[in-house]
Amino acid sequence: MESSTSTILPFLVILLAVSHASSDSFQQNFYKCLKSHISAPLSTCFYTPDNPSFTPLLNSSAQNLRCLLPSVPKPELIFTPLVESDVQAAVICTKQLNMHLRIRSGGHDYEGLSYISEVETPFAVVDLSKLRSISVDIQRNSAWVEAGATVGELYYRIAEKSKIHGYPAGLCTSLGIGGHITGGAYGSMMRKYGLGADNVLDARIVDANGKILDRKSMGKDLFWAIRGGGGASFGIILSWKVKLVPVPKTVTVFTVTKTLEEGATKILYKWQQVADKLDEDLFIRVITQVGNGAKEGEKTVSNSYNALFLGGVDRLLQIMGQRFPELGLQRKDCVKMSWLKSVLYIAGYPSSVPPEVLLQGKSSFKNYFKAKSDFVKEPIPESGLEGIWKRFLEEDSPLMIWNPYGGMMSKIPESDIPFPHRNGTLFKIQYVTLWGDADKGSPGKHVDWIRKLYSYMSNYVSKFPREAYVNYRDLDLGMNKNGSTDFVQARVWGSKYFKNNFNRLVRIKTKVDPDNFFRHEQSIPTLPTAAKQ
């Protein structure tokens, strides 16, 4: 037996040496190729793991700390393009060298697919954080925004030019706009104006051949696919031209919280019946958490009704008094402010924080978490809600957010863009479980908890398919294996994210990226070879 150990050790040393050598050659070859294509000094935009800036850069925009654990695969290099042609060079070089590529604009993706790869190594990351210019044209009600800019930066730049213009995208201000719009981009004005992706006028992307295309040159199919078809399947978004929408000079916000002891169950049951039918100027989401109960040592569940109203206090109180008196909204609960200030309010910033915080571009909210999503077509009965509370009280830091649909969301056809969750949807649920450093090495109990809650909810949510939101990536729904994208396998989660739009996405993918260059664990697959012919 002793001889086997003596032969294994040299073998491992050789294996590690080969692995290290292949890493070096991977980095060197990419470096040489880039050098022949771009004029900028590579010292400002090329990072390998032995560079002291590599880890801070990798960690910089990542939201989910479980995707940064030492056990998680890391890229061999990170490239941060400074101009559009640098992105072209990255695509050309990775293709030439047969490397695998991941693309990151903001790093919010819930499973970290823009900066980790569980199925293919080695891989490189193209980080678009230095492409963040914003040009706002109030006269034409539009703005061009580069992929690495955050939605918060865009909101700030719009408000800088006009107090009566806005854009209906994300509630979380550190979202990178490049990837955010590819999944749909919902926010607090979606009932009035639809999604961010519904309000796109043009785009610039780098395709699988390294060419830069705009709306005209990419054609209507590809332009359709990138507005809601999920990130990193069709190309690299360089910038979006978005349509600005009118907002009042002054809007009204409120947050009213009700615990179980204050009748939370009956109030939430009523919210389900009215939230999608309220005036489309009014968006009331519900944030459910666990907190301290009335007695010391006891826990309770609280529902916070967090709202934006595109109008004044008097009209808001009139609407609430007629349609949702159960909440008991009072004048003292209502706060008037500018639309830009409401962005900070809805994002959870204290009122003392100035709007300039939006220009920092990085999120201060980072956690270890696992998330899932559902869409609801019929109100969940009170008995069903009580089952949720029972489960919530068993978890350390659970979170649930219910976002109302209706309004404009019911008027836009399902096939208008790939995002299909439209008429008939009452609200969307986001489930999250968060944990701290103490559990970072063993997240199992928290992940088990959210999977059990998800299983419990199956009777109360959409069916055939059980729908999910692509911007809340969830690898529990299935994934591509070993770098291949199997059409049959992908259809399982593809139909959940895109419903009947999945087939059209597959046909477009097959046409624009037949070699499946842009791929990840849940990318859109190409058609099987026989079907292509």
Side-chain angles (χ1 to χ4, degrees):
M1 289 298 292
E2 62 185 14
S3 63
S4 66
T5 310
S6 60
T7 54
I8 286 169
L9 283 172
F11 175 71
L12 283 174
V13 171
I14 292 165
L15 196 66
L16 287 167
V18 169
S19 165
H20 187 65
S22 63
S23 289
D24 286 350
S25 60
F26 178 95
Q27 294 157 1
Q28 288 162 4
N29 291 338
F30 195 61
Y31 186 92
K32 282 178 194 167
C33 182
L34 282 177
K35 204 167 182 183
S36 67
H37 283 89
I38 69 175
S39 53
L42 282 175
S43 57
T44 62
C45 51
F46 187 90
Y47 304 85
T48 57
D50 54 7
N51 183 316
S53 300
F54 177 87
T55 299
L57 176 61
L58 179 64
N59 296 358
S60 61
S61 65
Q63 282 290 109
N64 196 343
L65 296 178
R66 72 182 169 89
C67 299
L68 297 174
L69 292 170
S71 57
V72 173
K74 303 290 185 288
E76 293 290 336
L77 59 94
I78 303 173
F79 176 55
T80 57
L82 303 175
V83 291
E84 288 185 343
S85 57
D86 292 354
V87 183
Q88 289 179 281
V91 170
I92 290 163
C93 290
T94 43
K95 276 196 97 168
Q96 271 181 17
L97 300 168
N98 199 24
M99 293 177 176
H100 183 50
L101 186 65
R102 295 288 163 121
I103 307 113
R104 179 167 81 172
S105 65
H108 268 247
D109 52 329
Y110 283 14
E111 300 281 14
L113 302 186
S114 61
Y115 53 94
I116 64 177
S117 172
E118 296 282 0
V119 292
E120 287 182 83
T121 53
F123 68 101
V125 168
V126 170
D127 183 305
L128 301 170
S129 56
K130 291 179 181 175
L131 294 176
R132 58 193 324 130
S133 76
I134 298 168
S135 173
V136 178
D137 187 338
I138 294 300
Q139 280 65 44
R140 290 185 170 84
N141 288 317
S142 66
W144 273 103
V145 52
E146 285 193 305
T150 63
V151 295
E153 288 175 285
L154 175 60
Y155 296 156
Y156 185 93
R157 295 304 177 200
I158 294 168
E160 201 174 36
K161 294 277 184 79
S162 166
K163 304 302 177 220
I164 55 168
H165 287 77
Y167 180 62
L171 302 137
C172 189
T173 57
S174 58
L175 288 155
I177 199 94
H180 179 48
I181 292 176
T182 63
Y186 81 91
S188 55
M189 295 199 292
M190 63 190 269
R191 301 189 65 250
K192 177 79 169 181
Y193 297 116
L195 305 169
D198 294 322
N199 291 275
V200 169
L201 300 168
D202 202 343
R204 290 173 65 78
I205 73 166
V206 176
D207 73 359
N209 298 313
K211 289 182 180 171
I212 293 179
L213 306 174
D214 62 8
R215 178 175 183 171
K216 188 177 177 184
S217 55
M218 77 176 79
K220 69 175 186 179
D221 276 351
L222 185 51
F223 186 62
W224 178 85
I226 62 175
R227 291 173 297 141
S233 283
F234 300 98
I236 302 178
I237 305 294
L238 296 169
S239 56
W240 299 104
K241 185 182 184 183
V242 299
K243 181 171 73 179
L244 305 186
V245 300
V247 296
K249 228 172 202 167
T250 306
V251 302
T252 308
V253 297
F254 69 79
T255 303
V256 172
T257 300
K258 298 291 182 182
T259 63
L260 295 184
E261 294 77 10
E262 295 167 322
T265 306
K266 287 191 182 305
I267 296 169
L268 187 59
Y269 182 62
K270 179 62 186 286
W271 175 91
Q272 296 180 79
Q273 295 168 310
V274 301
D276 69 308
K277 300 170 190 72
L278 292 169
D279 188 303
E280 60 187 29
D281 286 337
L282 179 54
F283 173 91
I284 309 176
R285 65 174 179 162
V286 187
I287 302 168
T288 302
Q289 294 171 288
V290 167
N292 292 326
K295 293 180 183 173
E296 194 172 337
E298 278 189 1
K299 291 202 296 184
T300 189
V301 176
S302 68
N303 293 327
S304 295
Y305 294 82
N306 179 234
L308 169 69
F309 180 61
L310 299 171
V313 177
D314 289 343
R315 189 160 74 92
L316 171 60
L317 288 171
Q318 185 183 8
I319 292 166
M320 291 295 286
Q322 288 172 353
R323 303 302 304 274
F324 193 18
E326 292 80 0
L327 187 62
L329 182 70
Q330 298 177 40
R331 189 172 290 273
K332 68 178 174 59
D333 300 318
C334 304
V335 187
K336 296 191 295 183
M337 57 181 62
S338 68
W339 172 73
L340 186 66
K341 278 279 194 180
S342 80
V343 164
L344 293 168
Y345 178 89
I346 296 288
Y349 285 99
S351 57
S352 57
V353 172
E356 284 67 33
V357 72
L358 299 174
L359 299 177
Q360 290 176 6
K362 295 283 185 283
S363 173
S364 54
F365 307 108
K366 292 173 181 271
N367 292 287
Y368 299 92
F369 70 88
K370 172 67 183 173
K372 301 177 90 63
S373 62
D374 263 319
F375 289 84
V376 179
K377 313 283 187 179
E378 301 281 341
I380 300 168
E382 289 183 32
S383 58
L385 298 177
E386 284 161 0
I388 298 174
W389 312 150
K390 177 173 173 280
R391 286 158 178 80
F392 254 56
L393 291 167
E394 293 168 354
E395 179 60 345
D396 299 340
S397 294
L399 174 68
M400 192 167 59
I401 303 174
W402 292 18
N403 284 291
Y405 276 53
M408 182 58 78
M409 293 300 291
S410 294
K411 298 171 190 171
I412 298 170
E414 282 196 6
S415 58
D416 211 49
I417 63 171
F419 180 97
H421 318 288
R422 303 286 188 173
N423 192 29
T425 299
L426 301 183
F427 57 95
K428 175 181 65 191
I429 302 179
Q430 177 180 193
Y431 314 94
V432 186
T433 177
L434 307 108
W435 60 91
D437 277 344
D439 289 337
K440 70 180 182 183
S442 53
K445 69 173 183 176
H446 305 291
V447 175
D448 285 349
W449 175 84
I450 200 169
R451 286 173 178 161
K452 284 174 184 169
L453 175 63
Y454 186 74
S455 175
Y456 166 75
M457 293 296 291
S458 61
N459 289 330
Y460 304 112
V461 298
S462 60
K463 298 175 179 66
F464 312 115
R466 182 176 183 176
E467 299 168 36
Y469 179 40
V470 70
N471 270 0
Y472 299 157
R473 289 269 180 210
D474 179 7
L475 294 181
D476 288 353
L477 304 181
M479 56 193 278
N480 301 314
K481 301 276 176 25
N482 304 322
S484 67
T485 50
D486 180 86
F487 174 77
V488 176
Q489 190 177 46
R491 189 177 192 86
V492 176
W493 47 261
S495 63
K496 293 175 185 291
Y497 291 142
F498 308 113
K499 295 173 73 175
N500 293 332
N501 293 329
F502 177 68
N503 289 337
R504 185 177 174 192
L505 287 168
V506 171
R507 289 196 301 272
I508 295 167
K509 169 72 171 181
T510 306
K511 184 175 145 193
V512 303
D513 184 14
D515 297 327
N516 199 25
F517 174 72
F518 293 110
R519 62 187 184 272
H520 56 72
E521 285 80 351
Q522 282 190 344
S523 56
I524 300 295
T526 56
L527 282 167
T529 308
K532 293 180 194 178
Q533 294 167 349

